[in-house]
Amino acid sequence: MSRAFLIVMDSVGIGGARDAASFFNDGRPDTGANTVAHVAQACAEGRAEEGRSGFLHMPALDRLGLGAAVRLASGAATPGLEAVPEGAWGAANEVSKGKDTPSGHWELAGVPVPWDWGYFPDRQNSFPPDLVAFVAQAAGTDGLLGNCHASGTNIIEELGDAHIRSGWPICYTSVDSVFQIAAHETHFGLDRLLQLCQDIAPRLHAMKIGRVIARPFTGENGQFFRTPNRRDFAIEPPAPTLLDWAYEAGRVTHAIGKIGDIFSHRGITHLHKGKGDADLMEHLLRLGAEAEDGSLTFANFVEFDSLWGHRRNVSGYARALEWFDQGAARFLKTLRPGDLAIFTADHGNDPTWAGTDHTRERVPVLAAGLGAARLGQLAFVDVAATLAAHLGVPAQGAGRSFLTQTGLKAVL
């Protein structure tokens, strides 16, 4: 029985979104944002030389069709990504109204978001007084620190000492639909932070705030460091997803990285976490070799986004892409005859763009196991429908399997 792998390269967009003009970064529309193309162009022009050099080098994914998918999505030049595709490749369009992690992942798993997300648009005094009072009461403190839009690394540098002195949690948000709480693992307590986030999550979810995120850190005297013990308390998907479809059909499902948090741990047999993407790659390589026949493995690699995209660090983003490509090449060698592996993304985060937010873009769909094929323009939900068809489990979403549309089947 064949296996399925869905691998999300968080924020690795390829431009060309039809509705990009409706999404903004610091007041500038996302029209023209293109994460992969702009990184490749910066590399070719010598503008991404920190810790690496030369053209963007991603031979494994380019052979699957990455460069071709960028050109299909947006017509942009992709210096260094010009291979003739040997995989099945296309570009997918999102219909959900957010350019955030839950929207992209849920829609890739067959469930577009049917509502408008709630946000905190004010950059200072971001949270309404009644919510501030509610969170402070839940924390057992007289108040909160932060209450603003902020970078997670910057705000602990600015307020970490005050947090230790006062015991008040640091609460902040961004242009995403999130409520984040940073707290010191020792002085505040990791278990206390996680319990606080769990306790307040239902109130935030009722406001259609997508995630309450615990952001623990350690350190002293202004030298603070976030730890890998982050936890997302996400609103539940509004309908069964690909994970539920497979799980209910009796298939083993593996979730690597943030997938458990994003899907509220629904439809998951085994969860595989790690301190960073290097640990997650080891999980993917191990499951490529060992995952059960008929199983679904769903992985998220987040550091493109969290470490480099939001910080608008082009060299770092390029290094992450090249590192991931090396891991992808190793993973592809673990696949068995009949397996299907799809590499895709959930949104963009162009490190050359204005602001610090995600960018509205199409995403690549690169399939290993089907031979060479041009899939064309797809919907996010087509990814879920395809993997369900490959596994032989009933799909409950609106997507169309590109196996059915093209007559392809996994042969590897």
Side-chain angles (χ1 to χ4, degrees):
M1 189 181 296
S2 57
R3 306 175 301 169
F5 297 84
L6 176 55
I7 303 154
V8 177
M9 305 174 290
D10 203 300
S11 85
V12 182
I14 56 175
R18 292 172 294 203
D19 56 357
S22 299
F23 296 82
F24 296 86
N25 265 279
D26 277 357
R28 176 185 178 184
D30 285 344
T31 307
N34 195 322
T35 301
V36 173
H38 288 166
V39 171
Q41 292 163 16
C43 290
E45 295 165 7
R47 296 186 286 113
E49 295 288 304
E50 297 175 13
R52 60 161 312 281
S53 187
F55 284 83
L56 185 62
H57 187 64
M58 299 180 66
L61 293 183
D62 195 26
R63 281 195 298 270
L64 284 182
L66 178 59
V70 177
R71 296 188 294 273
L72 170 67
S74 59
T78 56
L81 303 176
E82 296 164 340
V84 175
E86 299 173 7
W89 56 276
N93 301 278
E94 184 176 10
V95 299
S96 299
K97 294 181 180 179
K99 53 176 179 178
D100 53 88
T101 294
S103 295
H105 281 77
W106 292 358
E107 193 166 328
L108 288 168
V111 181
V113 179
W115 56 66
D116 290 333
W117 291 110
Y119 297 94
F120 300 107
D122 295 336
R123 292 191 170 271
Q124 299 293 328
N125 297 316
S126 302
F127 310 125
D130 61 331
L131 180 60
V132 171
F134 172 75
V135 175
Q137 181 179 24
T141 60
D142 293 330
L144 312 176
L145 298 173
N147 192 7
C148 61
H149 283 226
S151 156
T153 52
N154 291 344
I155 201 165
I156 62 173
E157 291 176 7
E158 296 168 5
L159 298 177
D161 286 328
H163 163 70
I164 291 172
R165 289 193 304 269
S166 68
W168 292 8
I170 303 170
C171 300
Y172 62 103
T173 187
S174 70
V175 293
D176 287 344
S177 182
V178 294
F179 187 98
Q180 306 194 68
I181 305 180
H184 197 283
E185 287 196 352
T186 302
H187 295 284
F188 190 88
L190 176 59
D191 290 343
R192 181 184 174 195
L193 170 62
L194 297 178
Q195 188 63 54
L196 171 61
C197 291
Q198 181 175 323
D199 289 345
I200 69 170
R203 170 80 171 262
L204 275 297
H205 293 165
M207 301 166 65
K208 290 296 184 283
I209 301 300
R211 289 177 292 166
V212 175
I213 305 177
R215 291 286 198 173
F217 65 93
T218 58
E220 301 290 338
N221 301 320
Q223 300 296 315
F224 299 114
F225 309 93
R226 294 203 296 196
T227 76
N229 295 320
R230 163 182 171 160
R231 177 81 184 273
D232 292 30
F233 296 84
I235 194 169
E236 286 201 13
T241 71
L242 172 65
L243 286 163
D244 298 308
W245 309 344
Y247 186 84
E248 291 167 4
R251 304 305 179 88
V252 174
T253 59
H254 296 277
I256 298 177
K258 289 169 49 178
I259 297 301
D261 291 339
I262 294 168
F263 289 90
S264 298
H265 298 274
R266 277 186 8 197
I268 296 169
T269 310
H270 300 293
L271 181 63
H272 311 270
K273 302 279 279 188
K275 294 181 178 180
D277 279 2
D279 289 346
L280 304 185
M281 182 61 75
E282 292 305 312
H283 287 312
L284 180 62
L285 293 170
R286 175 177 52 80
L287 290 170
E290 301 175 2
E292 301 85 352
D293 288 345
S295 63
L296 168 67
T297 297
F298 195 165
N300 168 276
F301 289 84
V302 71
E303 290 180 358
F304 311 103
D305 185 65
S306 63
L307 297 184
W308 313 116
H310 288 297
R311 300 178 188 182
R312 298 303 191 249
N313 186 320
V314 182
S315 293
Y317 208 108
R319 290 196 306 271
L321 287 171
E322 291 173 335
W323 170 84
F324 182 83
D325 192 79
Q326 293 174 358
R330 295 169 60 198
F331 164 71
L332 290 170
K333 293 178 181 178
T334 69
L335 297 180
R336 304 170 188 165
D339 287 347
L340 174 60
I342 296 178
F343 295 84
T344 186
D346 53 342
H347 49 71
N349 201 349
D350 187 340
T352 73
W353 208 243
T356 61
D357 187 21
H358 298 149
T359 43
R360 182 70 162 187
E361 302 180 40
R362 290 176 171 138
V363 301
V365 176
L366 312 174
L370 300 177
R374 184 185 189 277
L375 302 174
Q377 297 285 356
L378 304 166
F380 273 40
V381 291
D382 292 345
V383 172
T386 299
L387 291 167
H390 172 73
L391 289 171
V393 304
Q396 301 173 36
R400 298 176 59 204
S401 165
F402 52 74
L403 301 180
T404 302
Q405 296 177 54
T406 62
L408 294 170
K409 64 179 180 178
V411 294
L412 199 66

